[in-house]
Amino acid sequence: IRPQHALAFQAAAGTTVMAAALLGAPLSTTETTASAIVGVGVVAQPRRVHWDVVGQIARAWLLTVPIALAAGAIAGLIVRWL
């Protein structure tokens, strides 16, 4: 990553986080930054993007939501039971 790429992905991630905050929308700053890094990489040198790693990240994101939902539901039932 060259300095101008770092500036671009940090600006993109920061703008996205600020926009979400103004809208009151929840989001993950880690996911936002990772997405911005991939976006800059695609524009700069798409062949150098490690697409296998991008796929692993995407699969992890897809699993995170239902797993967190299930864990929250289970925790809620346990607290209700207590």
Side-chain angles (χ1 to χ4, degrees):
I1 294 176
R2 301 177 75 195
Q4 63 268 30
H5 298 144
L7 174 63
F9 80 71
Q10 288 291 356
T15 301
T16 303
V17 169
M18 290 300 292
L22 289 172
L23 295 171
L27 83 122
S28 165
T29 55
T30 302
E31 291 176 2
T32 303
T33 302
S35 299
I37 290 169
V38 172
V40 168
V42 167
V43 171
Q45 293 182 331
R47 291 183 180 161
R48 304 231 12 209
V49 174
H50 295 272
W51 292 107
D52 55 328
V53 175
V54 174
Q56 290 173 1
I57 292 169
R59 285 190 295 280
W61 291 344
L62 290 173
L63 289 173
T64 300
V65 173
I67 290 171
L69 181 117
I74 292 167
L77 289 172
I78 290 170
V79 169
R80 178 188 277 181
W81 181 73
L82 297 176

